[in-house]
């Protein structure tokens, strides 16, 4: 199963949130078909490159400018061990990646930007897990989506009057030459 790269068209348009998003992914590569289904293979370097490409694409769709990481204690890429639905933990090197960046965009454009990202994701076959545009809520503008086959998860939302957060969470990935541990 290969992760797909999205191409977003240039249409106008949080870190606790990343944890919630990772939990929504569920059992790290496990599906209804079985606990030992083959995991997608990708190196950490390629996964980070892929996630970076994806957030850049979302930023282009939103017509927002990705901001440099300023806090070394909060890196864009956060690799974690995969833990299964029944708390299984493997020793085969499998990992998941949460990748998060902030993008500058004036508040007046947030709703349109998130709507454009939602529409592009829908066109690409993603299932929208949640969407809102409601100034009485925090965040006011938010979209969460998951790919039904490949299980990658993306989210975009406003975090301040001038910033959006763009998040990509991979499913459980296995390094290219590792032998997948069976449970």
């Amino acid at each position: 199963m290969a992760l797909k790269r999205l191409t977003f068209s240039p249409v106008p348009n949080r870190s606790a949130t990343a944890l919630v998003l990772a939990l929504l992914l569920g059992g790290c590569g496990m599906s209804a078909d079985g606990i030992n289904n083959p995991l997608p293979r990708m190196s950490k370097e390629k996964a980070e490159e892929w996630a970076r490409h994806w957030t850049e694409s979302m930023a282009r769709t939103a017509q927002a400018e990705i901001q440099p990481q300023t806090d070394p204690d909060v890196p864009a890429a956060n690799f974690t061990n995969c833990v299964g639905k029944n708390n299984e933990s493997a020793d085969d090197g499998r990992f998941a990646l949460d990748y998060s960046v902030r993008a500058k965009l004036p508040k007046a454009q947030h709703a349109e930007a998130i709507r454009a990202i939602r529409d592009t994701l829908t066109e690409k076959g993603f299932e929208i897990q949640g969407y809102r545009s409601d100034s009485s809520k925090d965040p006011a503008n938010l979209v969460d989506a998951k790919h039904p086959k490949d299980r990658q998860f993306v989210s975009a939302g406003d975090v301040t009057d001038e910033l959006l957060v763009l998040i990509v969470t991979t499913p459980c990935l296995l390094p290219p030459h590792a032998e997948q541990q069976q449970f």
Side-chain angles (χ1 to χ4, degrees):
M1 172 182 343
L3 294 176
K4 297 177 183 176
R5 287 185 182 231
L6 292 182
T7 304
F8 288 84
S9 59
V11 181
N13 109 63
R14 265 173 231 274
S15 279
T17 302
L19 175 60
V20 171
L21 301 177
L23 293 173
L24 287 174
L25 280 174
C28 256
M30 287 178 252
S31 70
D33 297 329
I35 194 170
N36 291 311
N37 286 351
L39 295 173
R41 292 187 177 267
M42 190 178 290
S43 69
K44 287 183 175 181
E45 294 79 14
K46 288 288 184 190
E48 186 171 353
E49 179 183 308
W50 175 81
R52 183 180 310 109
H53 169 80
W54 200 326
T55 56
E56 289 168 354
S57 294
M58 287 193 289
R60 281 192 303 276
T61 296
Q63 295 187 348
E65 181 183 338
I66 292 180
Q67 300 299 288
Q69 294 296 118
T70 57
D71 186 347
D73 293 331
V74 185
N78 181 33
F79 293 95
T80 59
N81 293 326
C82 296
V83 177
K85 198 183 303 186
N86 299 311
N87 289 323
E88 304 92 354
S89 182
D91 296 321
D92 57 9
R94 62 184 75 182
F95 66 92
L97 169 62
D98 294 319
Y99 190 88
S100 174
V101 297
R102 292 179 184 236
K104 188 173 183 177
L105 188 71
K107 182 178 183 172
Q109 296 173 10
H110 286 190
E112 187 176 348
I114 299 302
R115 191 170 34 257
I117 291 171
R118 180 203 60 194
D119 293 349
T120 301
L121 290 168
T122 300
E123 289 172 12
K124 299 295 182 182
F126 279 72
E127 295 173 348
I128 303 304
Q129 305 290 301
Y131 169 78
R132 78 166 164 239
S133 183
D134 181 345
S135 61
S136 71
K137 305 284 185 183
D138 185 25
N141 300 286
L142 176 69
V143 64
D144 297 328
K146 183 177 178 181
H147 192 276
K149 178 181 174 196
D150 297 334
R151 300 184 54 196
Q152 57 266 40
F153 189 90
V154 297
S155 182
D158 43 24
V159 290
T160 71
D161 285 351
E162 293 193 10
L163 291 174
L164 300 176
V165 64
L166 308 173
I167 301 170
V168 174
T169 303
T170 70
C172 192
L173 300 170
L174 191 65
H177 301 293
E179 184 175 334
Q180 184 170 332
Q181 182 176 342
Q182 303 293 299
F183 292 97

